[in-house]
Amino acid sequence: QCSITSKPFSINMDHGTRFVIVLATATSVYFFFVLQDGYHGVSNRKIKGFLPIRQVTAKYSTQSVIQNNLYGCTVRTPDKSLLPDNIKEGKTNRKERHLSFPTDYQTSVVEIINPQKYYNICDNIAIRIQARGANGSMKAYGGDYFRIKLFTEKPGYSAVGPDYFFDYENGTYVALFTLRWTGTVRVYAKLVHPSEAVEILNRTTEGSASTVFTFHGEFKTQASDGKNHSEIVICGVAPFEPPMCNVSATQTHGPWFCMYPKNKKLSCKDWTTISMNPNSRKQLEGTLSTQELAVFRRTKVHLNTTLLPSIEVRGTPPNETNLPTCNLPSVPPTIQTNGYFYNNSWRPLNCRVNHFEDNDIGTCLQGKSIHIYGDSTGRQMYDYLQASSRCVSSQNHPYMKSCEKDNLSMQFRFHGPPVRGRQVIPVKTLRYVAEQIDDL
């Protein structure tokens, strides 16, 4: 009932098993399953970027069938007839981007390439986005960050991303979807960032953000005469001009540096708290020109899809019960969209997920010692499991939580610096996840 099955091994979560979950930041995700009996099974997949789609060049791929029988449909290489053959491919050139001519959500056009009166389950639909500037002129290069999905409001279907997304690098984009449910389907498209903003973000995160987006560190001590001394200095992940305090993690070497306190009564060992510099955003914006800042007024906006023709899908939906139960793969799969939502429930395309009620969760967690490490995502997981199992809190801090109930214990621990937020955090409560696992 409460087993984690994987190939090539199977783990039965017996009484007393220790279960560790690690959720890291958006740049990389690691899952650790650490068992008390000494077996360590580590599954590691690093994710670069966070577009949950297969984004490929405009050239037609010769790859054959990708995955068979995904929820009743076969996903093959894109139907070449759906791809525009009269579009001349461009090439995104960083020097060609014009800040005075960013992609505009109001003039950009969304259209269905293969409109039909009715579609059938498993049919493909192709949606094109033509990026334009504020004056309606066509863009000459690509690199815009669009999000596009299909959805049905009732009973609540949503495909979170296309099977394929093509950037022709000349302002033209094509998204290919496989239709997987019946009813009236609508298109949702959003311009997350124009390519001009993407360029600025890349440049900022690679350079000035590490030195401008800073934190405060408080150094505090009590002198031999009983007088208290304290000073707040600037800290961050990048080294400062000497003299400075290198307070990086000794075990993991996670980088962290602070300016050396001017008060001669204080030294690097007196670092006690960390907080985010409230002026960081203003300082970071200060590294951008007025024209660059104006580009970000066109971000996270919806494109007009109200004029698109209705998408009516007919047919018999596949029977979910015919799918096998989802298992933990021995090798992490390629990061790609692999399912859709139905009534707030995730439905994979190639297997069937078990759905648990609160009582099931409480029963399954009995006899377990659960340790969750990571960021706010891990904290949300802890809060959900704690409430579902009615585990009684014995410690409830944003960065350190724990609870106990009958034969169940659960705890959450936050990662080390940097940490966003307005709270002033004692240094001793923030340690790198790898250090905490070593201690465990």
Side-chain angles (χ1 to χ4, degrees), residues 210-211 213-219 233-249 253-261 268 271 273-274 417-418 432:
S210 63
T211 56
F213 200 81
T214 55
F215 296 78
H216 284 159
E218 184 177 19
F219 289 72
V233 301
I234 298 296
C235 300
V237 296
F240 298 93
E241 290 293 330
M244 67 174 177
C245 289
N246 183 354
V247 288
S248 302
H253 306 289
W256 199 251
F257 307 89
C258 294
M259 292 182 175
Y260 202 92
C268 293
W271 180 42
T273 65
I274 179 177
Y432 288 91

Side-chain angles (χ1 to χ4, degrees), residues 160-211:
V160 296
D163 296 323
Y164 287 90
F165 188 79
F166 293 84
D167 180 358
Y168 281 80
E169 297 187 329
N170 60 3
T172 300
Y173 306 82
V174 175
L176 296 181
F177 287 87
T178 302
L179 298 171
R180 302 188 182 279
W181 63 83
T182 59
T184 301
V185 178
R186 296 176 58 191
V187 177
Y188 167 94
K190 173 188 274 190
L191 174 62
V192 181
H193 289 298
S195 59
E196 295 78 12
V198 172
E199 173 66 23
I200 296 170
L201 288 171
N202 287 336
R203 186 193 72 218
T204 303
T205 55
E206 292 171 1
S208 57
S210 63
T211 56

Side-chain angles (χ1 to χ4, degrees), residues 242-410:
M244 67 174 177
C245 289
N246 183 354
V247 288
S248 302
T250 55
Q251 291 174 251
T252 61
H253 306 289
W256 199 251
F257 307 89
C258 294
M259 292 182 175
Y260 202 92
K262 295 179 180 179
N263 189 329
K264 298 185 182 301
K265 298 290 185 180
L266 297 170
S267 64
C268 293
K269 65 180 178 60
D270 298 320
W271 180 42
T272 56
T273 65
I274 179 177
S275 60
M276 194 169 74
N277 180 2
N279 297 319
S280 286
R281 175 174 177 174
K282 185 178 294 185
Q283 292 172 357
L284 190 58
E285 290 178 350
T287 66
L288 305 179
S289 68
T290 303
Q291 197 175 33
E292 288 175 327
L293 287 173
V295 172
F296 288 94
R297 299 193 185 103
R298 292 181 170 87
T299 62
K300 301 178 182 177
V301 286
H302 298 171
L303 277 65
N304 184 7
T305 57
T306 57
L307 300 180
L308 293 179
S310 175
I311 303 173
E312 299 292 338
V313 184
R314 293 180 170 183
T316 302
N319 188 351
E320 184 186 17
T321 59
N322 294 332
L323 293 173
T325 302
C326 295
N327 289 325
L328 183 71
S330 56
V331 177
T334 302
I335 304 303
Q336 64 186 43
T337 300
N338 187 31
Y340 60 89
F341 283 103
Y342 171 69
N343 276 347
N344 294 323
S345 177
W346 178 248
R347 300 249 178 133
L349 302 178
N350 55 347
C351 60
R352 179 165 42 88
V353 171
N354 288 327
H355 299 283
F356 298 94
E357 302 296 333
D358 285 0
N359 290 338
D360 299 326
I361 294 174
T363 301
C364 193
L365 297 183
Q366 283 298 304
K368 307 297 186 296
S369 175
I370 301 175
H371 305 260
I372 302 177
Y373 300 95
D375 54 16
S376 58
T377 304
R379 184 169 60 225
Q380 292 170 32
M381 176 179 283
Y382 170 90
D383 290 340
Y384 176 78
L385 292 177
Q386 184 263 331
S388 299
S389 61
R390 298 177 178 84
C391 187
V392 181
S393 295
S394 55
Q395 185 179 30
N396 192 11
H397 185 276
Y399 306 106
M400 300 177 68
K401 292 173 175 276
S402 60
C403 68
E404 294 183 4
K405 177 193 175 185
D406 300 332
N407 225 359
L408 165 66
S409 67
M410 192 183 324

